[in-house]
Every structure is written in structure tokens, then in C-alpha cells.
């Protein structure tokens, strides 16, 4: 057998962790596997060459490995990184293909592509000749095209048993995709750890609002720029090699903050990174600082959140905002809107600061805003226009996704509207099957409606040219298309207040829009629609509301009914039951709502009288103090409640207390006199009998004014020092 296509030892030496390689090779021998690994584990550049090595050893089919990346810049950066690790140039053993840029040849063994590229290859030739394996990266992002690929490739593998499929995820979605790819039995899931460097977390909320009716406010952009400049200056003083990564929701905000940052930090090289920047600028931002070069700050959209590493970054500044696709009912198409980022997204962003060493993440919002952010981003299939997806599925031979193992079914109402549009375009027949015209539209990388216009225009004459034209004035247009004229009042709710605009339109063309006072009916509909779409977290969880919600979530998890479920989905489904008065007040002009009192409407009677007994807010400790219990987040109620208390306040305590009728033992974070963690234990008796001696040896010299007895069992628990009390 010829030499292996990649030097895996060399590649592994360049990655944070390669210890899972053996387990992954064993899993892939079955033909399908899911890799669950956090950002920073190096999976994007370790897994593809491992798959290539497996194909080489097998030697009974095509050897090329195609790896999907959700963004063009990530595909290009991953190809460049793997080529460097393998000692070759991009386009040789490792290549990439993205829209408008292909660097791959007959000898390419690993090719990074965007999902759209692979979808069109499947439609062109469903057998994927020449491809031995497909690796779907970042499946947890739940992009629509990646979801479609999951179902289509799982079906292809039933016909091509030699095809190796791998999905890579940074979250618990791994189990879902394992079931989809495995066919009859779930595919094995391989956990790949990452090196965990210390990460400091700072909160830097802005004094005003982050967004208004026109988008992100200029005042907030100023705040992000000033915060980034100050934090970077502090980081450089402590660690001179530190570069910064600043997250904004879109390209316009990136440009605005970059301009401000250049003014605030003249000695710093400020680079912009988003989908509209050119390839050279993207490469410059992701290639790292030149030796001896000035400190750098990369201002980026979410594309730097995963899939790629910006070298040198030890500081992340996060705006907490993101752009997500939302279906625009007025236009019948998908557009991008600015929303609060999910907590999972914020965790990924923060983690970029600690990939290469200790780092710091600064969040330009407060802990209350954090508590109100959704746990995970909205899957694109649940929010986007499905016309293009429906056409691809029709061309594949599975109208509406029927028969495909998709991560989530397509929403029926939106799918029906999409299929209606396709029938109007002549793209599908009455049974939903693709027509010849539909297959032609699917080959154009654009929305089917735009593709139809492009194709119709080119049929007028061959690469078509408009040589003469006549202007169509507004009066004539309105007279000719009078049946398309509409005059409506639309209200919207941003979580704080209701606004309304009176819009006069000709079909999808907006003729005029004027702000008006929100009428009661549209105002109520707008408030309920916004909260139903984005969850009650849109209103913000106050500290009191968040604490109550956590307590109720734990009781529901441990004891079940009648304690209510308080997940985002459950609360949204029961809005009228617990939140109706507040929704009406917001529609009438109230500014904001505290969700603590509305949540109490969900308390079951007479069990509600036992809330403090079963899930107390505070725990009495031997020193006499009453310490607050931190319950696990409402979206993860299976965690353990935590009590953070000074070690000296627990002397002599052997029994570990529990809440929820004894079904949820408390986890203790034992603190130093300065409030820093010394130990984490769920068994106090074992701690006093063992680890305490080492803690005592290390701490009594550092904190001599506090008691560190040899026998913690008989020492009095205290919150005081050993200094005698002053006499009057």
C-alpha cells in the first residue's frame, strides 16, 4: 500500500487536542459518525485527514473528502490551515470551492465547500461520483442548507454503502444527528475534548438601549468601541501580544465600530471581517499578526464565532447581538433582522478568547439581559422563507421533504405557501414534482423568483441588453395595477414599546410609510406575535423573575406535576394563561413588564404554599448566615443547585443538604476569606476528612486572621476573623 495521504502525527501536533483520534477512527469504520467537540478542539482540521486516511486504508472507492463549512471565509481559512499543517499549498492535497473561487484539482484529497455548492452538486449528479466521504461541519448552527444536506446524504448512503458520512457539532445536537445519519441504528458519537484555558468574564452594559426602530443605536456602537479600546489597552498592558476580537451583528455595524475604534486606538491595526469583505482582506484578518507588527483588533460578524480561529486573540468584546433570517410576510421572502444573540452563541464567542491561552471576554450587556437571551439560536427552517428549499427538495424527488430524515420537518403553513409560489412560477406540477423549468431555476444560485426573472430576461436575446426603456410614472403604475394597491397599518413591538406605521404599497413596492399612533387591535396583535415568536425573554427577565423561574424549573424536573413547566416553549404556549394582563398593558403603552408576579400565576394550589419549603431562596449554614441558593438555569434544570459560602462558615457540618424533597442535593462552592473558590464538593464529610488538610496548608499563611483549625469537626463555624473584638 502506498504511503498515507497525510502525516497525522504532524497534523495532530499542530492542534489543541488529538487524543480522540483513535476513537474516531474506530467509529468511522462503520461508515457514519458524529463528532461532538467544543470550539477549540481542532476538529475542523483533524477529522478530514483522518477520514482521508480511512479511505486510503480501505482502498476500494473514491478517496476525496468533501467538508462543508457554513461560510465562505471559514471554508477558505480551514483549507489554508490544513494545507499548512500538511506541508502543502492550497489547491494541491487540500483545496476549497466557494462561490466565485475554486482552488482544487485532480489530486485534491480534502475539499472545503459551502453547503450550497454541495447541494447543487447533488442535484447535478446525485451519486456524487469521485467523493468517498462527506463531513458536515457546524451542524449545530442549524442552517437550512445543512439541514437539507443531512436528509439528502442520509438517503444517498442507503444507495452508496461505501460513502462515509460524518457530522460535527459543538453542542448536544450530536444525538439528534447521530440518529439521522445512522440509518436503522444511531451512528456512534465521539467526544473530542478541547484544552480549557482560564477565561475571565467582565460585564460592561451600555447606559441606554442597544436597538431602536431603526436598528442598532449609534450610542451603543460608541459604547462598544470605547469598551473595546479600553479593554484592549488593559490587556496589552498585562500581556503585550494580545489581539482583540469584537463581535457585531452585521457588516454596517462592523464598519461603524471599526471607524470609531481607529479613532480611539490609533496605534492598533483595526481589521474588518464579514461576508462582504474581499478574499484578500479576509485572509489578512484570519492569518494572524505579522512578526513585530502592531497590536490588532478584528471587528467581525458572527462568522468568526465558529469554524475558524483568529490567531493571537486573547480578548473578546461581545455586543450580544446577532443577525438571523426571518420571513418577511409582506414580501414573501427572507430578510435578516437584528436580534439578541443566544446564550450558546455568546458562550462560543467568549470561548474564542481562550483557545490559545488565558483570555478575557467583555460583554456589553448585563446579567439580566444574559438571563433573557434565548438558550439557542432559532433554526433557520423555523424562520425562513422555504421557496428555494422546496424547489431543491422537489428536484431531489422528495417534495416537501417527504421520506427524508430531516432534523426538523418543514413548517406546514410556510411550506404550503412556498409550493404555491413554485406552482405560480411553473417550477412544480400539481403533485409537487419539479418541472423542466423548475430544474433550470434550481441551477441558478438565487431565490426562484429572482432566478425566473433572470432566465426570462436572458431568453429575450443572447448575455441580454436593454437598449431602450420608457419611464413608468406612479399614477400610471397605480392605474394599471390597481388591484395590487394596499393601505394598511402595521404595528411592531421591540420588547419595550409598540410602534406603528401606515404603509401604502403597490404589491411588494412600498410607496409611502408614515408613523402613526398604534391602534388598539394591531397593537395587541403585535405584542402577542412578538412575544410568541421570540419568547417571554423578549421582555427581559428581572433578577427576581429569573430566580423564581429557576426554582420552578427544578421542582418540575424533580417532582413533576402539578409544578408547572417553565421552559421557553411551555411559557410561550401558555401566554394567555399567565401573561395576558401584562401583554394588554404593553399594547396600551406601558414600558416593559416584570415577569416575577406573572410567573406566580402559574403556581399550583395548594402546593404553592410549600414553595419556600421545597425550593427555598436561602440556606441556613452553621455560622448562622442565610446564604442564597443559586438554582440551575431554567433551560437546564437537571443541574445541581449551588451554594457559594466561605469555608469557615461550614465547620462541623457533615450532612449535605438537599432541596426538592431531598431529590436535589446541594453542591457547595467553598470560598476563601476573599471570596475566591477553594473547593467544589457535594460531600462535606469527605471534604473535611481529606482535601481540607491541603487547603488549610495552602491558605492559613495567606489568611492568618481567619481560623484554619486542624480539626474542622469541632471548630465553631463563623463568618468572623480571629481578631478580638474592640472594647468600648
Amino acid at each position: 500500500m502506498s504511503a498515507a495521504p497525510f502525516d497525522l502525527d504532524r497534523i495532530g501536533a499542530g492542534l489543541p487536542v488529538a487524543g480522540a483520534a483513535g476513537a474516531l477512527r474506530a467509529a468511522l469504520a462503520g461508515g457514519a459518525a458524529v463528532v461532538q467537540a467544543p470550539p477549540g478542539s481542532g476538529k475542523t482540521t483533524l477529522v478530514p485527514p483522518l477520514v482521508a486516511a480511512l479511505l486510503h486504508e480501505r482502498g476500494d472507492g473514491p478517496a476525496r473528502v468533501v467538508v462543508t463549512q457554513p461560510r465562505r471565509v471559514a471554508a477558505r481559512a480551514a483549507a489554508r490551515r490544513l494545507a499548512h499543517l500538511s506541508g502543502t499549498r492550497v489547491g494541491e492535497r487540500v483545496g476549497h470551492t466557494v462561490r466565485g473561487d475554486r482552488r482544487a484539482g485532480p489530486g485534491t484529497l480534502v475539499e472545503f465547500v459551502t453547503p450550497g455548492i454541495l447541494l447543487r452538486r447533488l442535484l447535478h449528479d446525485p451519486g456524487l461520483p469521485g467523493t468517498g466521504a462527506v463531513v458536515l461541519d457546524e451542524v449545530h448552527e442549524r442552517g437550512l442548507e445543512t439541514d437539507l444536506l443531512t436528509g439528502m446524504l442520509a438517503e444517498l448512503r442507503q444507495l452508496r454503502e461505501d460513502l462515509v458520512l460524518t457530522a460535527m457539532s459543538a453542542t448536544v445536537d450530536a444525538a439528534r444527528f447521530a440518529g439521522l445519519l445512522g440509518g436503522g441504528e444511531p451512528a456512534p458519537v465521539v467526544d473530542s475534548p478541547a484544552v480549557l484555558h482560564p477565561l475571565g468574564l467582565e460585564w460592561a452594559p451600555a447606559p441606554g438601549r442597544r436597538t431602536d426602530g431603526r436598528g442598532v443605536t449609534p450610542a451603543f456602537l460608541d459604547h462598544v468601541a470605547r469598551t473595546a479600546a479600553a479593554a484592549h489597552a488593559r490587556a496589552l498592558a498585562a500581556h503585550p501580544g494580545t489581539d482583540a476580537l469584537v463581535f457585531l451583528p452585521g457588516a454596517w455595524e462592523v464598519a461603524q465600530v471599526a471607524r470609531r475604534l481607529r479613532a480611539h486606538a490609533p496605534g492598533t491595526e483595526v481589521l474588518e471581517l464579514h461576508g462582504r469583505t474581499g478574499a484578500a482582506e479576509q485572509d489578512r484578518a484570519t492569518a494572524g499578526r505579522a512578526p513585530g507588527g502592531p497590536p490588532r483588533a478584528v471587528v467581525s460578524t458572527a462568522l468568526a464565532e465558529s469554524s475558524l480561529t483568529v490567531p493571537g486573540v486573547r480578548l473578546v468584546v461581545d455586543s450580544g447581538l446577532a443577525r438571523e433570517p426571518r420571513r418577511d410576510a409582506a414580501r414573501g421572502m427572507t430578510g435578516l433582522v437584528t436580534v439578541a444573540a443566544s446564550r450558546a452563541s455568546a458562550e462560543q464567542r467568549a470561548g474564542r478568547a481562550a483557545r490559545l491561552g488565558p483570555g478575557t471576554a467583555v460583554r456589553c450587556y448585563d446579567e439580566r439581559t444574559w438571563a433573557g437571551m434565548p438558550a439557542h439560536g432559532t433554526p433557520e427552517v423555523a424562520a425562513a422563507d422555504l421557496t428555494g428549499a422546496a424547489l431543491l427538495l422537489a428536484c431531489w424527488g422528495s417534495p416537501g421533504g417527504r421520506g427524508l430524515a430531516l432534523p426538523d420537518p418543514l413548517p406546514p403553513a410556510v411550506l404550503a405557501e412556498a409550493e404555491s409560489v413554485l406552482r405560480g412560477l411553473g417550477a412544480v406540477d400539481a403533485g409537487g414534482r419539479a418541472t423542466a423549468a423548475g430544474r433550470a431555476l434550481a441551477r441558478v444560485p438565487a431565490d426562484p423568483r429572482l432566478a425566473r426573472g433572470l432566465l426570462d430576461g436572458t431568453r429575450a436575446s443572447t448575455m441580454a441588453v436593454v437598449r431602450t426603456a420608457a419611464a413608468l410614472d406612479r399614477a400610471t403604475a397605480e392605474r394599471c395595477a390597481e388591484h395590487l394597491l394596499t393601505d394598511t397599518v402595521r404595528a411592531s413591538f421591540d420588547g419595550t414599546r409598540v410602534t406603528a406605521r401606515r404603509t401604502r404599497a403597490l404589491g411588494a413596492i412600498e410607496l409611502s410609510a408614515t408613523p402613526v399612533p398604534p391602534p388598539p387591535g394591531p397593537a395587541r396583535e403585535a405584542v402577542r406575535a412578538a412575544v410568541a415568536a421570540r419568547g417571554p425573554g423578549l421582555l427581559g427577565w428581572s433578577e427576581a423573575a429569573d430566580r423564581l423561574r429557576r426554582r420552578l424549573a427544578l421542582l418540575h424536573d424533580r417532582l413533576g406535576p402539578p409544578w408547572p413547566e417553565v421552559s421557553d416553549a411551555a411559557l410561550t404556549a401558555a401566554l394567555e394563561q399567565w401573561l395576558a394582563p401584562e401583554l394588554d398593558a404593553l399594547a396600551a403603552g406601558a414600558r416593559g413588564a416584570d415577569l416575577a408576579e406573572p410567573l406566580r400565576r402559574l403556581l399550583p394550589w395548594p402546593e404553592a404554599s410549600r414553595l419556600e419549603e421545597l425550593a427555598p431562596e436561602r440556606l441556613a449554614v452553621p455560622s448562622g448566615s442565610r446564604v442564597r441558593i443559586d438554582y440551575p438555569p431554567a433551560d437546564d434544570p437537571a443541574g445541581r443547585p449551588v451554594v457559594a459560602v466561605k469555608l469557615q462558615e461550614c465547620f462541623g457540618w457533615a450532612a449535605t443538604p438537599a432541596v426538592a424533597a431531598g431529590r436535589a442535593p446541594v453542591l457547595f462552592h467553598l470560598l476563601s476569606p476573599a471570596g475566591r473558590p477553594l473547593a467544589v464538593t457535594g460531600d462535606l464529610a469527605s471534604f473535611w476528612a481529606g482535601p481540607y488538610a491541603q487547603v488549610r496548608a495552602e491558605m492559613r499563611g495567606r489568611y492568618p486572621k481567619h481560623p484554619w483549625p486542624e480539626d474542622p469537626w469541632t471548630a465553631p463555624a463563623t463568618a468572623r476573623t480571629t481578631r478580638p473584638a474592640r472594647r468600648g
Side-chain angles (χ1 to χ4, degrees):
M1 182 180 292
S2 60
F6 291 98
D7 184 343
L8 297 180
D9 291 335
R10 175 178 180 178
I11 291 173
L15 298 171
V17 172
L24 179 59
R25 286 172 66 87
L28 287 173
V34 175
V35 178
Q36 179 173 274
S41 59
K43 62 183 181 298
T44 301
T45 41
L46 175 61
V47 173
L50 275 172
V51 177
L54 175 67
L55 296 179
H56 173 77
E57 292 170 0
R58 196 173 63 183
D60 60 352
R64 176 169 290 191
V65 179
V66 175
V67 188
T68 65
Q69 288 292 328
R71 301 172 185 89
R72 285 176 288 171
V73 62
R76 297 174 67 254
R80 185 174 62 248
R81 172 66 172 162
L82 182 55
H84 171 74
L85 291 172
S86 63
T88 62
R89 293 180 298 179
V90 176
E92 297 176 352
R93 286 191 173 183
V94 183
H96 67 248
T97 300
V98 299
R99 188 172 62 193
D101 184 11
R102 173 174 170 81
R103 296 183 65 184
T108 299
L109 297 178
V110 175
E111 181 187 14
F112 291 88
V113 303
T114 52
I117 294 291
L118 185 54
L119 275 173
R120 281 166 177 80
R121 285 186 186 175
L122 278 169
L123 294 183
H124 176 70
D125 193 333
L128 282 186
T131 298
V134 175
V135 179
L136 300 174
D137 201 0
E138 312 296 351
V139 295
H140 62 276
E141 292 191 9
R142 297 302 311 279
L144 179 56
E145 290 182 329
T146 300
D147 279 6
L148 297 180
L149 280 174
T150 300
M152 294 163 71
L153 289 169
E155 185 172 79
L156 174 59
R157 189 167 177 270
Q158 296 176 13
L159 304 175
R160 271 194 59 188
E161 294 184 355
D162 65 317
L163 182 67
V164 175
L165 292 183
T166 305
M168 300 199 290
S169 171
T171 68
V172 292
D173 269 343
R176 180 199 304 249
F177 283 89
L180 297 173
L181 296 185
E185 295 292 330
V189 176
V190 178
D191 285 310
S192 178
V195 173
L196 299 178
H197 297 289
L199 177 67
L201 187 61
E202 299 177 8
W203 305 91
R209 299 174 60 188
R210 293 189 294 177
T211 61
D212 58 19
R214 292 175 293 181
V216 183
T217 65
F220 181 67
L221 297 177
D222 287 338
H223 172 74
V224 173
R226 289 194 302 270
T227 299
H232 198 193
R234 293 194 302 270
L236 286 170
H239 303 286
T242 298
D243 286 344
L245 179 58
V246 185
F247 283 102
L248 277 303
W252 182 83
E253 292 84 2
V254 164
Q256 295 298 312
V257 169
R259 178 175 59 81
R260 290 166 167 83
L261 197 52
R262 292 183 184 103
H264 289 305
T268 299
E269 182 183 16
V270 179
L271 302 172
E272 300 177 27
L273 182 59
H274 52 77
R276 298 180 189 174
T277 53
E281 289 80 5
Q282 291 176 354
D283 290 346
R284 185 180 173 194
T286 59
R289 186 197 303 187
R296 303 192 324 155
V298 177
V299 188
S300 175
T301 58
L303 64 80
E305 188 177 297
S306 59
S307 305
L308 59 86
T309 296
V310 180
V313 168
R314 298 288 183 89
L315 170 68
V316 163
V317 179
D318 182 16
S319 68
L321 298 173
R323 286 269 163 77
E324 290 188 357
R326 292 288 188 272
R327 181 174 173 273
D328 185 336
R331 295 185 302 141
M333 299 176 72
T334 297
L336 293 175
V337 298
T338 302
V339 299
S342 67
R343 292 198 298 275
S345 176
E347 294 282 11
Q348 292 231 54
R349 295 178 181 185
R352 313 314 283 180
R355 286 200 64 171
L356 306 176
T360 301
V362 181
R363 289 174 173 160
C364 296
Y365 47 93
D366 57 21
E367 290 151 296
R368 175 179 173 180
T369 302
W370 162 263
M373 292 160 63
H376 301 281
T378 304
E380 190 175 356
V381 68
D385 172 67
L386 298 180
T387 308
L391 178 57
L392 292 174
L393 291 171
C395 292
W396 182 252
S398 301
R402 293 188 290 274
L404 287 186
L406 297 174
D408 283 315
L410 305 184
V414 183
L415 176 62
E417 185 174 331
E419 292 177 334
S420 175
V421 170
L422 292 175
R423 286 193 295 272
L425 294 173
V428 298
D429 60 21
R433 295 176 293 272
T435 63
R439 295 185 183 280
L441 295 179
R443 289 192 289 270
V444 181
D447 180 274
R449 285 157 287 206
L450 302 179
R452 174 64 186 267
L454 290 171
L455 292 180
D456 286 352
T458 57
R459 291 192 187 102
S461 61
T462 302
M463 301 308 283
V465 177
V466 177
R467 302 189 183 279
T468 61
L472 184 64
D473 60 65
R474 176 170 171 172
T476 303
E478 291 185 12
R479 187 169 60 254
C480 294
E482 184 178 3
H483 62 290
L484 297 178
L485 278 173
T486 58
D487 191 338
T488 57
V489 174
R490 293 195 181 96
S492 61
F493 178 64
D494 64 1
T496 304
R497 65 192 183 99
V498 181
T499 58
R501 300 174 72 85
R502 182 172 186 172
T503 303
R504 182 173 170 81
L506 183 67
I509 302 173
E510 187 176 283
L511 302 176
S512 64
T514 307
V516 295
R524 284 193 296 271
E525 293 175 7
V527 171
R528 280 162 169 76
V531 177
R534 297 169 61 181
L538 173 66
L539 305 179
W541 291 99
S542 67
E543 185 177 356
D546 183 56
R547 289 202 303 268
L548 175 59
R549 186 189 182 202
R550 289 171 179 241
R551 295 162 70 194
L552 293 176
L554 182 129
L555 291 179
H556 177 78
D557 182 76
R558 301 303 200 278
L559 303 180
W563 295 102
E565 183 182 356
V566 289
S567 65
D568 282 343
L571 290 177
T572 300
L575 285 177
E576 295 298 330
Q577 179 183 348
W578 67 284
L579 199 58
E582 285 70 24
L583 296 179
D584 289 338
L586 290 166
R591 295 296 184 95
D594 190 330
L595 300 181
E597 188 56 35
L599 271 181
R600 293 188 177 276
R601 297 184 188 126
L602 294 174
L603 288 173
W605 294 96
E607 289 83 359
S609 61
R610 300 187 63 202
L611 175 63
E612 188 60 28
E613 171 196 342
L614 295 173
E617 286 197 81
R618 295 182 176 273
L619 180 71
V621 298
S623 67
S625 299
R626 292 183 59 79
V627 183
R628 191 175 77 183
I629 302 174
D630 290 325
Y631 288 89
D635 56 1
D636 186 23
R640 294 181 64 174
V642 171
V643 168
V645 60
K646 290 184 179 179
L647 179 148
Q648 285 80 3
E649 298 197 55
C650 298
F651 286 150
W653 206 2
T656 299
V659 297
R663 301 188 185 185
V666 171
L667 185 67
F668 282 89
H669 288 198
L670 300 176
L671 309 179
S672 73
R676 296 188 176 92
L678 293 177
V680 176
T681 182
D683 186 344
L684 287 170
S686 296
F687 173 75
W688 299 128
Y692 169 73
Q694 181 179 352
V695 171
R696 175 180 181 268
E698 295 176 355
M699 292 293 111
R700 63 178 181 165
R702 185 175 301 179
Y703 301 103
K705 296 180 181 178
H706 296 264
W708 300 96
E710 290 189 33
D711 183 5
W713 294 105
T714 59
T718 179
R720 301 178 179 272
T721 67
T722 56
R723 179 184 299 172
R726 292 185 178 181
R727 297 183 181 275

